[in-house]
Amino acid sequence: MELSNAVQALTGLAQLSRLSVFKTLVAAGPDGAQPTAIAESLDIPANTLSFHLKGLMTAKLVTQEKRGRMITYRADFTQMNALLEFLTANCCGGKGCAVTAPLRAHRANTRAVAS
Amino acid sequence: MELSNAVQALTGLAQLSRLSVFKTLVAAGPDGAQPTAIAESLDIPANTLSFHLKGLMTAKLVTQEKRGRMITYRADFTQMNALLEFLTANCCGGKGCAVTAPLRAHRANTRAVAS
DNA sequence: CACACAATTCGATGATACTGGAATTATGGA
DNA sequence: TCCATAATTCCAGTATCATCGAATTGTGTG
């Protein structure tokens, strides 16, 4: 991933509404979610949400699938992987960052996100 | 790390100049670098750089140490760790993300800022 | 003190981003 | 066809960001 692509991806996440939307989509998993549901869940006007979803699309962080008159959005982990790889390679000390050090026995852990 | 803190950190990196500066500081390692050197290296006017360094300070991504009339800036990996941890926990599928991906060997060349 | 230098702050400008009401497009159903 | 619904686009207002010349602050040196 190039520097400019990293900026693009980071920009996609560097805003409260968008990060919330992305987080929601991640939580929604493979089923994804539709704008109406997201808007209600996060209490964001539909048009504002649409604006941010477009931003997430531009950042290539989400995908959309049209079925009839509804559109399902899903988090796209490919870009997220590339971003984390970039940050790990370019923005870490090379030894310390969280990626390599799984937080020594730090309550091994509540969520299914573990390594 | 809270959502809003994550946004703060992401905002710090979501800009070409700032990401470049941070990358430079990471490459500089423990020695850090001074504004004049960074400005020359990246070809950014001193005041513009100062503006972005302030942004990185706000995002808690860098630290500064005053010695005489020069100031040494260093990347602060604490915040970076926290950010990566946040992204891994909240923005990954739980299985795929870069955490498991092989970490490309990081060049330990710390002399990147010299003129 | 006078000067050079490191770095920041000030101030002004242009560009971009965020928000939300209103209108629009498109699909499904009665 | 007519209406409801899903989602987007249009548009305007406001706010924030990015840039850089000029002025400022602070420190070391002759």
Side-chain angles (χ1 to χ4, degrees):
Chain A
M1 177 179 270
E2 309 250 337
L3 200 69
S4 59
N5 296 116
V7 170
Q8 187 184 46
L10 287 163
T11 301
L13 298 173
Q15 205 276 341
L16 192 56
S17 298
R18 278 196 303 274
L19 186 57
S20 302
V21 170
F22 188 73
K23 186 167 178 281
T24 299
L25 287 176
V26 169
D31 290 345
Q34 289 142 19
T36 301
I38 302 171
E40 162 146 7
S41 165
L42 298 178
D43 195 30
I44 298 175
N47 54 354
T48 301
L49 174 64
S50 197
F51 171 81
H52 287 304
L53 283 171
K54 195 200 284 188
L56 287 169
M57 285 290 290
T58 300
K60 294 178 183 159
L61 286 165
V62 302
T63 60
Q64 65 177 188
E65 182 197 3
K66 293 191 183 184
R67 280 186 64 112
R69 63 179 158 176
M70 24 245 270
I71 301 182
T72 298
Y73 283 89
R74 294 186 182 85
D76 184 355
F77 296 113
T78 306
Q79 183 77 336
M80 202 60 210
N81 283 342
L83 176 60
L84 284 173
E85 195 182 329
F86 176 92
L87 293 177
T88 304
N90 295 282
C91 299
C92 279
K95 32 185 182 274
C97 276
V99 183
T100 49
L103 269 35
R104 42 154 253 224
H106 191 35
R107 225 181 294 153
N109 182 354
T110 57
R111 223 157 291 179
V113 181
S115 61
Chain B
M1 176 179 269
E2 307 253 339
L3 200 68
S4 58
N5 296 113
V7 170
Q8 188 184 45
L10 287 164
T11 301
L13 298 174
Q15 205 276 340
L16 192 56
S17 298
R18 279 197 303 273
L19 186 56
S20 302
V21 169
F22 187 73
K23 186 168 178 282
T24 299
L25 287 176
V26 169
D31 290 345
Q34 288 142 18
T36 301
I38 302 170
E40 162 147 6
S41 165
L42 298 178
D43 195 30
I44 298 175
N47 55 355
T48 301
L49 174 64
S50 197
F51 170 82
H52 287 304
L53 282 171
K54 196 200 285 188
L56 287 169
M57 285 290 290
T58 300
K60 295 178 182 160
L61 287 163
V62 303
T63 60
Q64 65 176 190
E65 182 196 3
K66 294 189 184 183
R67 282 185 63 114
R69 62 179 158 178
M70 25 244 268
I71 302 182
T72 298
Y73 284 89
R74 294 186 182 84
D76 183 355
F77 297 113
T78 305
Q79 183 77 336
M80 201 62 210
N81 283 342
L83 176 59
L84 285 174
E85 195 183 330
F86 175 92
L87 292 178
T88 304
N90 294 282
C91 299
C92 279
K95 35 187 185 286
C97 278
V99 186
T100 52
L103 180 46
R104 202 187 311 264
H106 188 265
R107 223 190 312 284
N109 181 357
T110 54
R111 295 256 36 200
V113 180
S115 60

